Amino acid sequence: MKKPAAVILFSGGQDSTVCLYWAMQEYEEVYPLVISYGHKHLVEFSAAMKIVEMAGLLPNTEFLTLPVTTLKGGTLLGQKSQATGSIADTWVPYRNMLFLTLAFNRAILIGPYTDIVTGVNAIDYSGYPDCRPDFIDSMECTAREASEKTLEIKTPLLFMSKKEIVYLGCTFQGCMEALAYSHTCYNGKTPPCGECNSCILRAKGFAEAGVKDPLIERLTYA
Ligand SMILES: [Zn+2]
């Protein structure tokens, strides 16, 4: 039996798209929350719009544009990186914390049994500390303390490799078609640059799964 409702943080990227189709199997009502924060890649925003439309979720989708100076830091925003150690320099400090807070805010308005879904991944990732299970657990705990509600964060992709995420996407009707419009390139390029960390991880996942990336197929044979 499906659960009542979920707010999904949706970016228009590969993991996010698989997560969206996962959520449609799990919940009666799915509410995508697409947040633009002045980052370089408005192309991702239009990818998100196309995909929610394909998924039939456009009426449920909120497109939230934050002022460009809301978040600062990291090369994704064209700024100096604050990342240290094995964290990629594209890391935007506290972005995921802010996004989850906004998702909790929306979820509580929808109803008491609304989950939050996010496509964070702790396996094939860029070393972001805010994509790890400890952070997610602690954020869930904090949100409960802040509201006296038992909201849950669902992270279906948390322990999956990129290859497994491709396999999962293949099991959902319409997901591969939607992935043909997903956008992952950190350099905001269409066709994808093939050189950034995000492009490399995406290509690796499809190659290991033995599945052709529908985005590349679409752009090649368009
Ligand atoms: Zn790229």
Side-chain angles (χ1 to χ4, degrees):
M1 204 178 94
K2 287 185 175 183
K3 295 178 77 180
V7 170
I8 173 169
L9 284 168
F10 184 62
S11 70
Q14 178 192 359
D15 292 357
S16 193
T17 300
V18 174
C19 223
L20 183 77
Y21 280 80
W22 175 87
M24 287 162 65
Q25 303 285 316
E26 300 288 318
Y27 297 92
E28 292 290 344
E29 291 174 25
V30 175
Y31 296 89
L33 175 58
V34 182
I35 304 172
S36 160
Y37 52 105
H39 56 326
K40 289 186 283 183
H41 314 316
L42 284 175
V43 58
E44 201 173 67
F45 209 57
S46 31
M49 191 178 287
K50 172 78 181 169
I51 293 166
V52 292
E53 194 180 8
M54 289 174 85
L57 292 172
L58 195 54
N60 282 7
T61 304
E62 178 178 353
F63 294 91
L64 180 61
T65 303
L66 303 178
V68 288
T69 50
T70 304
L71 282 163
K72 297 182 180 179
T75 58
L76 196 66
L77 297 177
Q79 296 177 6
K80 186 175 173 291
S81 171
Q82 287 70 39
T84 49
S86 57
I87 305 173
D89 60 11
T90 42
W91 179 63
V92 180
Y94 306 106
R95 180 190 61 181
N96 286 358
M97 207 162 144
L98 175 65
F99 282 14
L100 283 167
T101 302
L102 292 168
F104 277 120
N105 171 268
R106 298 306 193 260
I108 220 163
L109 303 180
I110 292 164
Y113 302 105
T114 307
D115 286 344
I116 283 79
V117 176
T118 171
V120 291
N121 176 251
I123 307 295
D124 282 337
Y125 76 133
S126 306
Y128 296 169
D130 50 3
C131 288
R132 292 184 196 144
D134 285 355
F135 166 71
I136 297 296
D137 290 348
S138 123
M139 217 28 219
E140 190 176 79
C141 203
T142 301
R144 289 177 179 190
E145 290 292 334
S147 64
E148 297 187 346
K149 309 271 187 204
T150 51
L151 299 177
E152 287 183 36
I153 306 177
K154 300 291 184 191
T155 54
L157 313 183
L158 191 60
F159 298 111
M160 286 190 184
S161 65
K162 286 285 178 193
K163 173 179 149 184
E164 290 171 319
I165 294 170
V166 171
Y167 284 150
L168 181 66
C170 292
T171 66
F172 302 134
Q173 197 184 358
C175 186
M176 295 312 273
E177 289 81 358
L179 281 171
Y181 293 89
S182 64
H183 182 82
T184 330
C185 179
Y186 274 155
N187 289 321
K189 296 270 166 48
T190 306
C193 79
E195 289 167 3
C196 71
N197 199 26
S198 193
C199 278
I200 290 168
L201 281 175
R202 177 173 178 140
K204 179 173 166 271
F206 277 100
E208 287 178 2
V211 174
K212 286 184 174 154
D213 183 341
L215 171 65
I216 308 294
E217 293 287 289
R218 178 175 72 84
L219 295 171
T220 308
Y221 301 108

